[in-house]
Amino acid sequence: MFVVYSYKYVHDDGRVSYPLCFIFSSPVGCKPEQQMMYAGSKNRLVQTAELTKVFEIRTTDDLTEAWLQEKLSFFR
């Protein structure tokens, strides 16, 4: 699963930014060859779109607003 998401992020000092986040989840149970193809296409997309906020999730249940805010808190 690939998701590119523009998120309204309010910084601690009140500034507002709209980072473009790339969120991906690797397919579970795929053959190693398929996982390599998936990783290659993911990397190509990240490079082509010049995405800098790249995050991986294990399951879609992990994808919450609190999770995304925690990940983005490392970028000031």
Side-chain angles (χ1 to χ4, degrees):
M1 170 183 78
F2 294 155
V3 176
V4 179
Y5 182 61
S6 178
Y7 178 73
K8 180 181 178 182
Y9 182 71
V10 180
H11 298 264
D12 292 339
D13 61 3
R15 291 176 297 121
V16 176
S17 63
Y18 294 87
L20 196 57
C21 304
F22 179 73
I23 303 164
F24 68 97
S25 175
S26 299
V28 177
C30 287
K31 295 179 182 179
E33 299 84 17
Q34 291 173 322
Q35 287 196 351
M36 288 177 59
M37 288 175 48
Y38 179 83
S41 62
K42 173 195 68 98
N43 292 338
R44 181 74 171 157
L45 178 60
V46 168
Q47 290 173 348
T48 301
E50 298 179 359
L51 300 167
T52 58
K53 313 293 190 285
V54 179
F55 310 114
E56 181 176 9
I57 59 173
R58 292 293 172 201
T59 69
T60 54
D61 293 340
D62 295 340
L63 185 55
T64 64
E65 187 169 8
W67 174 87
L68 185 55
Q69 288 177 347
E70 178 186 337
K71 294 295 185 182
L72 289 172
S73 69
F74 293 105
F75 299 95
R76 307 245 175 219

